[in-house]
Amino acid sequence: MFELIVTLVIASLPLYLIVSALISGYAPFSRFRDKVVKTVPVFMISLCAVSLIVLGILYSSGQHTYTALVRITPVSAVVLTLVVILGAVISRFSQRYMMAEACYPTFVRWLHNLLAAVLITVVANHLLIFFAGWVAISLCLHRLLVLYPERSRALLAARKKFLMARSSELLLAVAFIALYVNTGSAYIGEINTTLAESADSTSPLMLMSAICIASAALLKCAQLPFHGWLIQVVEVPTPVSALLHAGIINLGGYLLILFAPLMSLYAAANWMILVFAGLSLVFASLVMTTRVTVKVKLAWSTSAQMSLMLIQCALGLYSFALLHMVAHSLYKSYCFLSAGQTVQRSVTTEFANKQPSSLADWLNATLVSLVITLSTVYFFAENEPVTPWLVLFLSLSTLLAVRFAPSDQSHFYVWILTAFGLALCYGLMKSLFTMLQPNMNQVTAGSAMDIWVIGLLSFMFVLHLWLERSPTGKWAEAIKAQLFGGLFLDEWFTRATLTIWPASSGLKPGKQTTPNNATTSIRR
């Protein structure tokens, strides 16, 4: 009985969102629109509570599958909870942010359809249902990206996204066909169980499936050189940006986590992720430091964060990737929903008054961070690669070096205690998420994969530190000029997009048909 109730509750929200989307889109039902829209956050919060209860029961009982078509695991329950929280917050924010816009009914309709598609995809246990939800998410997002067709840059970005989405779907279709042919089942739970039990890494069909899934994840997460659309969609309204950067962009990581038993069998697919995502992490992180506007900086940050999440999946650290997904979604949604002129002015003032960190600040920060990181490793590490702990060390070092510069003696100790608290929270959350999603492929410390990522992270940190300490040198200025141009990696894709999908009247790269600019307009 409990299984039936949970299944009905989970299935009711997508149906409710679809019905509310239909009601909001037709004039005869316009008087019901406001009432229906206002009930969405309440309904989603209720489902969030149900999801948390289901998560506790699943973890205590060890159950995973409820029906043939709906599969609820601890991981999907976490993602489901995250989706309903983001959906409730963004729906509520949109009511006061876009109510006066003429396109608001269209926005509500496609927002609800998008949320319904995401929920269906998260709980799907059948390859066809998952694929249908994956396609529906992209199509609904495209409709949100073109809410203002007079904005030429937004329209160009939407077309780039459309082409990338179709490529990702084609790769995913090939992967699913290969999985079905090789395993004889279209149910994701059965496929993962078969792969976990057999551990056969010699099938060429399964290798092709793993490579296609890895490629689809890279395209979905906007990795270089297919990143341009993610940077340019800052033209869209803020709720759409928040939904994209905090939710939809994470689906590539969820795809790898969902098919972790398959990905853990093939090093070739993981190496492909490590190469592309690793280089994307370095370049996107460095390019981000040259941006001064809030939304563009956040967009580059999203690309870099997705790279790090994909690297964690390729190293077999799926629990870290799940934790990263949740933390990034909550943080990035807050950043976008609060990225108004007030926040922009405060950030600009902070950077204008920032005191540069001295060499002594960096040495102190490095020493303190090393002690904190080693203590955390001693208590929480379990035969894992060095990479995640190096990320913790570099993050704490940067945080402390920046904060030590303007701090007096009392603030000095406060920031040390803050760093200890952050490291402790990191270790505790890592342990919790490991119980929900155990690592599928233990990459040992010092392995080739681990050394590759360590080298990239070290190179990125040293180069950033050098550019910060010597910003006026000849080589530094040349490198910063390239970084400011985004390494000019998007130009070829822009030309290809305009060749495949010729520009309509007035649509040319860099030309605006509206006086507003994406980096200064609050309404975007």
Side-chain angles (χ1 to χ4, degrees), residues 321-436:
L322 183 61
L323 173 59
H324 193 153
M325 180 190 301
V326 174
H328 175 263
S329 296
L330 297 177
Y331 165 74
K332 199 54 67 73
S333 61
Y334 168 78
C335 288
F336 269 99
L337 295 181
S338 61
Q341 282 189 346
T342 303
V343 175
Q344 187 169 355
R345 281 197 300 267
S346 65
V347 172
T348 303
T349 304
E350 178 184 350
F351 280 117
N353 299 329
K354 188 179 73 171
Q355 179 180 344
S357 303
S358 64
L359 182 59
D361 293 327
W362 278 105
L363 292 177
N364 290 333
T366 301
L367 179 60
V368 173
S369 300
L370 182 61
V371 173
I372 295 175
T373 303
L374 292 178
S375 301
T376 309
V377 169
Y378 178 79
F379 287 104
F380 295 104
E382 299 176 0
N383 190 29
E384 293 165 347
V386 177
T387 297
W389 306 109
L390 179 62
V391 172
L392 177 63
F393 168 71
L394 296 179
S395 302
L396 293 178
S397 298
T398 304
L399 171 66
L400 293 178
V402 171
R403 297 302 179 181
F404 282 171
S407 299
D408 55 22
Q409 193 69 12
S410 60
H411 288 95
F412 180 86
Y413 295 111
V414 169
W415 282 111
I416 291 179
L417 292 176
T418 301
F420 267 108
L422 291 174
L424 178 61
C425 180
Y426 180 79
L428 293 175
M429 295 301 293
K430 174 257 178 186
S431 300
L432 173 62
F433 277 79
T434 299
M435 292 188 293
L436 300 177

Side-chain angles (χ1 to χ4, degrees), residues 152-161 163-164 225-233 300 485-504 507-511:
S152 58
R153 292 183 62 188
L155 190 58
L156 177 61
R159 291 181 176 182
K160 290 182 178 180
K161 171 66 173 65
L163 295 176
M164 284 298 93
F226 305 104
H227 64 290
W229 67 267
L230 182 65
I231 312 303
Q232 293 161 359
V233 292
W300 280 103
L487 302 180
F488 305 99
L489 293 176
D490 185 51
E491 276 64 18
W492 72 271
F493 190 40
T494 300
R495 290 193 294 268
T497 301
L498 293 175
T499 301
I500 298 173
W501 198 334
S504 57
L507 176 58
K508 295 183 183 299
K511 181 180 178 180

Side-chain angles (χ1 to χ4, degrees), residues 29-103:
F29 301 102
S30 59
R31 63 181 181 275
F32 300 110
R33 185 189 68 192
D34 294 342
K35 294 181 179 179
V36 171
V37 170
K38 289 180 179 179
T39 60
V40 172
V42 176
F43 197 86
M44 298 188 78
I45 291 172
S46 301
L47 182 67
C48 178
V50 173
S51 301
L52 291 174
I53 296 173
V54 171
L55 176 61
I57 294 175
L58 286 174
Y59 180 71
S60 61
S61 63
Q63 299 181 25
H64 287 266
T65 305
Y66 281 104
T67 67
L69 300 180
V70 177
R71 180 172 180 262
I72 308 296
T73 66
V75 173
S76 61
V78 169
V79 177
L80 185 66
T81 304
L82 179 64
V83 170
V84 296
I85 290 175
L86 294 177
V89 171
I90 293 174
S91 297
R92 181 61 180 171
F93 179 87
S94 303
Q95 290 177 21
R96 61 180 177 82
Y97 186 88
M98 296 191 63
M99 183 68 75
E101 298 287 338
C103 62

Side-chain angles (χ1 to χ4, degrees), residues 7-8 15 54 65 78 105-106 129 142 153 186 243 317 320 339 346 413 477 485 495:
T7 302
L8 292 176
L15 294 176
V54 171
T65 305
V78 169
T106 303
I129 297 177
H142 181 77
R153 292 183 62 188
L243 185 65
L317 303 173
F320 276 101
S346 65
Y413 295 111
E477 290 181 350
R495 290 193 294 268

Side-chain angles (χ1 to χ4, degrees), residues 206-238:
M206 299 303 284
L207 174 60
M208 180 180 66
S209 178
I211 292 177
C212 287
I213 287 177
S215 302
L218 289 169
L219 292 178
K220 197 70 174 180
C221 291
Q223 298 300 281
L224 274 65
F226 305 104
H227 64 290
W229 67 267
L230 182 65
I231 312 303
Q232 293 161 359
V233 292
V234 295
E235 291 274 343
V236 301
T238 294

